[in-house]
């Protein structure tokens, strides 16, 4: 009987060793898959970062294009005004040129009048000079001699009238000459003023039109430069779109690769959970001399904190906040942190630490979306801050390693992580999860 019991113990020990070796192999494989999925996720995150950078550059380029389009519209509007002013200036110049033609005609007519006036002036001048020469030749004869030579009173009156007529004739000759000369001077001055004014108007308008044409040319060149600049920016935008499309294709491919890696990881984890359960049962049976260890709902061994068997609920063991009293920024005071916060990427899987029955599944105040599992031996575990509604429901039986939800940041959370608690009905409160042993 003793030999039979010894044989059974040796056999159980060998089986336990084999199971442990298988468990180690499965765990190593699971960790390898986890590392692979983590690396792929990192690549996806990097590609998403590149995509965001490309989108930011595209937004900047589009903003520059919009700004150039706005400036171009303003320049086009200004050019339209300049074109209209130039058209009016041309019309004004046409009127001035018509006026020039008319004034040229007037000047031509005035030239004829001027020629006549100059001829009249010359005629009157010649008459006056002829009279002056005649008077010089007859210098011995004076008006007084003509009067004193009168032979009678009637002859005297006649001679006085004659002298008066001669004097009047001489004065008229001089006045006619002066009038003719002044008429010529007035006509010449009028012609010069008309010509000068006309030339000034024409020169001023030609300068104005030349400036308008220069402004139009400058506006046209600016529009051409803007169009060239817009075209260059649109080419850059098209190149960025092509690059973004390539990055998106890589993201799709990497997400498919990540899904395959996670599926393999889930399979490895399920195998690890099954191997762990079997190894725990074998070890418990060996330690008890063949008697079975306590079993809870889900078929997982679960004993006191000195030798409890649970599976770590996340692919990472990075602890961002331990169990105990601490100052909570979200609350503004010190309070008990009743679990551990496990840093993990958004959307990563959360696994049941041990088999049991789901007693709570949904939104739970500060825990956000949360799951609680009763393991049937006085222990309950809680998983908080899931990204959305858990994928298990109240009353559902779950096994160790089964995915129950995904990491998020709902409830009182400042970033994606898993809040993991262990509760004991015997102590009436929570326990430090780091005081337990895990596969």
């Amino acid at each position: 009987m003793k030999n039979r019991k010894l044989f059974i113990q040796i056999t159980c020990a060998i089986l336990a060793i084999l199971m442990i070796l298988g468990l180690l192999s499965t765990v190593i494989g699971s960790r390898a898959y986890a590392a692979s999925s983590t690396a792929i996720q990192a690549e996806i995150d990097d590609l998403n970062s590149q995509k965001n950078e490309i989108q930011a550059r595209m937004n900047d380029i589009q903003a520059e294009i919009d700004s150039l389009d706005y400036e171009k519209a303003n320049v086009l509007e200004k050019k339209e005004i300049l074109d209209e002013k130039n058209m009016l200036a041309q019309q004004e110049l046409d009127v001035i040129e018509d006026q020039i033609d008319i004034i040229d005609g007037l000047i031509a007519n005035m030239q004829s009048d001027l020629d006549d006036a100059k001829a009249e002036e010359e005629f009157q001048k010649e008459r006056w000079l002829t009279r002056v020469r005649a008077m010089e030749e007859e210098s011995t004869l004076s008006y007084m001699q003509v009067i004193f030579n009168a032979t009678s009173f009637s002859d005297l009156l006649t001679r006085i009238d004659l002298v008066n007529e001669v004097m009047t004739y001489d004065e008229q000759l001089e006045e006619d000459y002066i009038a003719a000369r002044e008429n010529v001077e007035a006509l010449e001055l009028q012609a010069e003023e008309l010509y000068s004014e006309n030339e000034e108007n024409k020169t001023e308008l030609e300068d104005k039109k030349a400036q308008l044409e220069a402004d139009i040319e400058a506006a046209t060149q600016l529009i051409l430069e803007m169009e060239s600049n817009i075209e260059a920016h649109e080419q850059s935008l098209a190149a960025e779109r092509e690059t973004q499309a390539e990055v998106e294709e890589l993201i799709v491919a990497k997400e498919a690769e990540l899904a395959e890696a996670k599926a393999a990881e889930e399979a490895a984890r399920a195998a690890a959970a099954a191997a762990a359960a079997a190894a725990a049962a074998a070890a418990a049976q060996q330690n008890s001399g063949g008697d079975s260890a306590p079993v809870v709902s889900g078929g997982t061994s679960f004993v006191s904190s000195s030798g409890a068997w649970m599976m770590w609920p996340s692919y990472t063991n990075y602890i961002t906040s331990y169990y105990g009293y601490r100052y909570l920024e979200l609350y503004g005071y010190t309070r008990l942190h009743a679990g551990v916060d496990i840093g993990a990427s958004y959307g990563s899987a959360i696994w049941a630490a041990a088999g049991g029955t789901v007693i709570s599944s949904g939104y739970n105040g500060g825990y956000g979306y949360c799951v609680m599992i009763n393991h049937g031996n006085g222990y309950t575990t809680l998983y908080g801050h899931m990204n959305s509604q858990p994928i298990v429901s109240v009353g559902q039986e779950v096994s160790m390693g089964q995915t129950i939800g995904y990491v998020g940041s709902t409830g009182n959370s400042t970033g994606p992580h898993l809040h993991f608690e262990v509760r004991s009905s015997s102590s009436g409160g929570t326990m430090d999860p780091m005081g337990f042993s895990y596969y």
Side-chain angles (χ1 to χ4, degrees):
M1 184 69 174
K2 184 182 293 184
N3 290 335
R4 182 175 180 274
K5 185 174 182 180
L6 179 62
F7 174 77
I8 291 173
Q9 289 178 345
I10 293 172
T11 301
C12 289
I14 293 171
L15 289 173
I17 291 170
L18 292 174
M19 288 180 182
I20 291 171
L21 290 174
L23 174 62
L24 289 174
S25 175
T26 304
V27 169
I28 291 171
S30 175
R31 289 180 178 176
Y33 283 123
S36 174
S37 65
T38 302
I40 295 171
Q41 183 63 55
E43 292 181 21
I44 292 174
D45 292 342
D46 181 62
L47 289 170
N48 278 321
S49 178
Q50 292 181 34
K51 178 183 174 182
N52 292 335
E53 291 175 0
I54 292 170
Q55 186 62 52
R57 290 198 299 271
M58 289 171 62
N59 291 340
D60 291 340
I61 294 172
Q62 187 60 56
E64 185 66 21
I65 290 174
D66 294 341
S67 176
L68 287 169
D69 282 335
Y70 179 76
E71 292 179 14
K72 177 184 173 183
N74 287 337
V75 174
L76 283 171
E77 185 176 354
K78 291 178 181 177
K79 184 179 179 296
E80 288 177 3
I81 295 172
L82 290 172
D83 287 336
E84 185 175 354
K85 286 184 177 179
N86 189 49
M87 179 186 67
L88 294 174
Q90 182 60 53
Q91 292 175 356
E92 188 177 355
L93 185 60
D94 291 340
V95 171
I96 292 293
E97 289 175 350
D98 290 340
Q99 290 176 350
I100 289 172
D101 293 338
I102 294 172
I103 292 172
D104 287 340
L106 290 174
I107 291 174
N109 292 332
M110 289 175 64
Q111 186 63 46
S112 176
D113 293 340
L114 183 60
D115 292 340
D116 294 341
K118 285 182 177 181
E120 178 65 20
E121 177 190 11
E122 189 65 26
F123 173 75
Q124 296 297 337
K125 180 180 179 182
E126 186 62 29
R127 287 179 63 195
W128 182 72
L129 290 174
T130 300
R131 176 60 183 158
V132 170
R133 284 195 296 268
M135 290 175 65
E136 288 175 352
E137 291 174 357
E138 299 174 357
S139 57
T140 57
L141 178 64
S142 65
Y143 294 135
M144 295 304 295
Q145 288 176 332
V146 172
I147 294 171
F148 289 145
N149 288 331
T151 57
S152 64
F153 182 74
S154 61
D155 183 37
L156 176 62
L157 294 177
T158 301
R159 285 175 179 270
I160 291 173
D161 289 338
L162 177 61
V163 169
N164 287 334
E165 288 178 2
V166 170
M167 291 179 66
T168 301
Y169 176 72
D170 290 341
E171 290 175 358
Q172 185 64 45
L173 284 177
E174 185 177 2
E175 289 176 0
D176 290 344
Y177 167 65
I178 292 172
R181 188 183 64 214
E182 290 177 351
N183 186 35
V184 169
E185 291 174 352
L187 287 172
E188 287 179 340
L189 180 60
Q190 185 179 1
E192 288 175 1
E193 288 177 350
L194 284 173
Y195 182 80
S196 176
E197 181 181 357
N198 186 65
E199 286 299 318
E200 287 178 3
N201 291 338
K202 182 178 179 182
T203 301
E204 182 181 353
L205 190 57
E206 286 176 344
D207 291 343
K208 179 180 176 182
K209 190 171 185 299
Q211 183 60 50
L212 282 170
E213 289 175 349
D215 291 343
I216 290 171
E217 178 63 24
T220 302
Q221 289 300 321
L222 183 58
I223 291 169
L224 291 175
E225 290 175 7
M226 286 183 174
E227 288 177 346
S228 177
N229 202 359
I230 290 171
E231 183 178 358
H233 279 76
E234 287 178 343
Q235 290 175 355
S236 298
L237 187 61
E240 293 289 356
R241 285 197 183 102
E242 291 180 1
T243 304
Q244 186 183 50
E246 292 172 359
V247 172
E248 288 175 346
E249 289 179 1
L250 288 175
I251 291 174
V252 171
K254 286 297 179 181
E255 286 178 343
E257 186 178 347
L258 177 63
E260 293 178 0
K262 284 188 174 181
E265 184 180 339
E266 289 291 336
R269 190 172 293 108
Q285 185 175 4
Q286 179 184 357
N287 293 333
S288 63
D291 297 331
S292 60
V295 177
V296 299
S297 177
T300 301
S301 296
F302 201 116
V303 293
S304 67
S305 61
S306 60
W309 294 91
M310 283 193 296
M311 177 181 175
W312 191 247
S314 172
Y315 74 93
T316 174
N317 58 1
Y318 175 63
I319 306 300
T320 60
S321 182
Y322 287 89
Y323 180 89
Y325 284 91
R326 64 185 176 117
Y327 180 78
L328 300 180
E329 294 183 1
L330 288 175
Y331 293 95
Y333 56 85
T334 300
R335 60 170 292 180
L336 175 65
H337 184 236
V340 293
D341 289 344
I342 304 169
S345 60
Y346 191 92
S348 57
I350 299 173
W351 309 309
T357 304
V358 178
I359 59 174
S360 176
S361 177
Y363 203 87
N364 187 2
Y367 290 111
Y369 285 107
C370 168
V371 167
M372 294 179 64
I373 301 174
N374 183 0
H375 302 288
N377 60 346
Y379 289 99
T380 300
T381 52
L382 179 147
Y383 314 79
H385 306 311
M386 293 181 177
N387 66 347
S388 60
Q389 178 66 34
I391 60 174
V392 294
S393 55
V394 174
Q396 181 178 342
E397 297 291 327
V398 296
S399 59
M400 176 188 288
Q402 180 176 338
T403 299
I404 58 175
Y406 301 96
V407 171
S409 186
T410 56
N412 292 339
S413 170
T414 58
H417 70 280
L418 166 62
H419 176 80
F420 178 52
E421 290 185 11
V422 178
R423 299 180 178 184
S424 171
S425 59
S426 60
S427 65
T430 58
M431 303 178 68
D432 186 356
M434 302 307 293
F436 290 81
S437 299
Y438 300 93
Y439 287 109

